[in-house]
């Protein structure tokens, strides 16, 4: 298909009008506005991408998940990492959009400078054409007026000659001659103006053709640049989607490694508190142990009340099973509560020795001592009821003897 040309389609029949040229200038101004519209779109999109990327990074860094364990925790950590990576990629996309925006701005300014140069040349040519046209039309009007005066003078001379008055005849003849000379002179000026106007018209046509060609080339470049820019923009967005999907695919792969059974097993192995429930509490007759009670020394009674008070409030020995993970259950004496208390209160005084704590234990009473796995404590007394007196960091209290390992 033959390409239509601006230079063949934007002329005007009226010599003094420039409708075609004005239509071309308006087209270029509209194209300039379109460039600005594309720039605004890219600018706002870049701002949105940058804002979105920063918000994603903030979300990823503030996300919790520290309480989770094992494979699900690993998957969640991977998700946070990839969200931050997605945020960074969107910030990078914003940078590319800004670069594209800068290119369009520079292109628009270059076109503006070139257009201004040709517009100035066309404005000069149009002014010159209109000035010569006005001058030519005035000379034409003068020429026509002088011709009319010459014709009238000649007609008057003819009438005077017919009357036979010699003096009037000579006078009319001289006037007719003068008018004819003036008409001839006006004709020459008119012809010269016509020639000059035609020369200016030719120059204007050439300038018009050249300007039309430049304007058409500018319009072609503008459409090409904007089309390519929008194409690149769409490609960038598509690539961003691909990048996002690739990053999230790593999260999906991490989630495939998240096994429910594995997480349950991990929790049980690391946090288990025991495999057997506590034994039932048996009935003990108070009076059946009366002799032992009467023969007990004040020290034994005091010790009995201390341990018994612990039992009434929930024995630390039994509570240890539910409060401390992986600790072995403390042994119970089969002879009953009171008998056990009396016998167990016979403390065996030993030389102070260092022991390592095997399991965590949280004190249940004020006379007990908090210990943690790995602590080093000094054992003061080894009581036969399984509760030993130990000292750590200047603090002394009862601890389960089964939780300690001699160094």
């Amino acid at each position: 298909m033959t390409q239509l040309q601006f230079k063949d389609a934007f002329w005007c029949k009226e010599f003094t009008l420039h409708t075609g040229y004005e239509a071309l200038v308006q087209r270029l101004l509209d194209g300039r506005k379109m460039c600005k519209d594309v720039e605004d779109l890219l600018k706002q999109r870049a701002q949105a991408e940058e804002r979105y990327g920063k918000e994603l990074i903030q979300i990823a860094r503030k996300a919790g998940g520290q309480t989770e364990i094992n494979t699900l925790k690993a998957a969640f950590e991977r998700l946070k990492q990839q969200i931050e990576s997605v945020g960074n990629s969107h910030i990078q996309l914003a940078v590319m959009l800004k670069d594209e925006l800068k290119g369009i701005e520079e292109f628009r300014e270059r076109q503006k400078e070139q257009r201004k140069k040709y517009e100035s040349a066309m404005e000069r040519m149009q002014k010159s054409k209109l000035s010569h046209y006005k001058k030519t039309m005035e000379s034409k009007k003068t020429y026509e007026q002088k011709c009319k005066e010459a014709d009238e003078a000649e007609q008057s001379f003819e009438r005077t000659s017919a009357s036979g008055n010699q003096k009037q005849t000579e006078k009319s003849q001289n006037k007719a001659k003068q008018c004819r000379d003036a008409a001839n002179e006006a004709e020459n000026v008119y012809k010269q103006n016509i020639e000059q106007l035609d020369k200016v018209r030719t120059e204007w046509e050439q300038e018009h053709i050249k300007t039309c060609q430049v304007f058409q080339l500018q319009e072609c470049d503008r459409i090409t640049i904007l089309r390519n820019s929008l194409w690149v923009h769409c490609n960038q967005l598509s690539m961003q989607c691909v990048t996002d999907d690739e990053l999230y695919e790593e999260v999906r792969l991490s989630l495939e490694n998240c096994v429910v059974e594995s997480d349950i097993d991990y929790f049980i192995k690391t946090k288990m508190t025991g495999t057997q429930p506590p034994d039932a509490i048996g009935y003990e007759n108070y009076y059946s142990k009366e002799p032992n009670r009467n023969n007990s020394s004040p020290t034994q009674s005091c010790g009995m009340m201390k341990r018994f008070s612990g039992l009434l409030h929930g024995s630390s020995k039994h509570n240890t099973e539910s409060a401390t993970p992986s600790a072995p259950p403390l042994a119970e004496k089969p002879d009953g509560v009171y008998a056990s208390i009396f016998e167990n209160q016979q403390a065996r005084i030993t030389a102070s020795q260092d022991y390592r704590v095997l399991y965590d234990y949280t004190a249940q009473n004020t006379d007990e001592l908090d210990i943690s796995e790995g602590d080093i404590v000094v054992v003061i007394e080894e009581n036969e009821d399984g509760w030993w007196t130990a000292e750590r960091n200047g603090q002394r209290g009862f601890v389960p003897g089964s939780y300690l390992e001699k160094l």
Side-chain angles (χ1 to χ4, degrees), residues 320-331:
T320 299
E321 295 182 0
S322 60
T324 306
S326 303
L330 299 175

Side-chain angles (χ1 to χ4, degrees), residues 228-350:
N228 292 343
S229 178
L230 295 176
W231 194 295
V232 169
H233 179 60
C234 292
N235 286 344
Q236 289 172 335
L237 298 182
S238 297
M239 289 301 297
Q240 184 61 47
C241 292
V242 173
T243 301
D244 291 353
D245 185 68
E246 290 176 349
L247 293 174
Y248 289 130
E249 179 62 22
E250 294 187 22
V251 180
R252 288 190 286 267
L253 293 175
S254 179
L255 289 171
E256 288 179 358
N257 295 326
C258 178
V259 181
V260 177
E261 294 78 4
S262 175
D263 284 9
I264 296 297
D265 292 347
Y266 179 85
F267 172 71
I268 293 174
K269 290 177 180 178
T270 58
K271 301 295 182 179
M272 65 183 300
T273 60
T275 58
Q276 296 293 332
D279 295 335
I281 303 300
Y283 170 75
E284 297 292 339
N285 190 300
Y286 175 81
Y287 297 100
S288 64
K289 305 302 180 181
E290 187 69 20
N292 290 334
R293 184 175 65 86
N294 293 334
N295 294 332
S296 62
S297 67
T299 303
Q300 291 173 326
S301 298
C302 185
M304 175 192 71
M305 293 306 295
K306 181 173 182 291
R307 293 294 95 206
F308 184 65
S309 175
L311 290 172
L312 291 179
H313 290 85
S315 174
S316 299
K317 295 186 290 184
H318 296 298
N319 289 341
T320 299
E321 295 182 0
S322 60
T324 306
S326 303
L330 299 175
E332 294 284 349
K333 293 292 183 180
D335 295 335
V337 175
Y338 286 96
S340 173
I341 290 173
F342 278 91
E343 294 174 4
N344 291 338
Q345 291 305 321
Q346 302 299 323
R348 182 161 51 93
I349 305 301
T350 63

Side-chain angles (χ1 to χ4, degrees), residues 105-222:
E105 290 176 344
E106 293 175 350
F107 168 77
R108 173 170 55 81
E109 290 303 317
R110 287 197 304 270
Q111 281 209 327
K112 177 184 176 181
E113 295 299 323
Q114 187 182 34
R115 186 183 74 252
K116 287 294 184 182
K117 183 176 67 174
Y118 281 90
E119 284 181 348
S120 298
M122 281 297 295
E123 185 177 358
R124 289 194 302 269
M125 293 305 302
Q126 289 172 355
K127 286 182 178 180
S128 178
K129 186 184 73 165
L130 291 177
S131 176
H132 281 82
Y133 174 78
K134 182 179 180 181
K135 184 178 180 181
T136 300
M137 291 301 100
E138 289 176 353
S139 64
K140 177 183 178 182
K141 184 178 181 181
T142 301
Y143 162 67
E144 291 175 348
Q145 182 64 32
K146 295 298 182 181
C147 287
K148 288 180 182 180
E149 292 176 356
D151 290 344
E152 291 176 356
E154 289 175 350
Q155 290 175 2
S156 176
F157 170 68
E158 290 176 357
R159 287 194 300 271
T160 303
S161 297
S163 65
N165 190 334
Q166 185 66 30
K167 188 175 179 179
Q168 288 292 334
T169 300
E170 289 180 0
K171 186 177 179 179
S172 296
Q173 184 179 8
N174 290 334
K175 183 178 180 181
K177 185 176 181 303
Q178 290 176 357
C179 288
R180 180 54 61 185
D181 291 342
N184 290 335
E185 184 179 355
E187 181 181 13
N188 291 333
V189 172
Y190 176 48
K191 287 181 179 179
Q192 290 176 0
N193 288 336
I194 286 291
E195 290 176 359
Q196 186 65 29
L197 178 61
D198 189 63
K199 181 180 178 182
V200 171
R201 180 193 61 81
T202 302
E203 292 176 355
W204 170 80
E205 286 183 358
Q206 292 175 352
E207 188 67 29
H208 179 80
I209 291 172
K210 183 168 63 174
T211 301
C212 287
Q213 291 173 337
V214 171
F215 283 4
Q216 183 166 356
L217 182 60
Q218 275 200 345
E219 188 66 3
C220 291
D221 290 344
R222 183 188 68 83

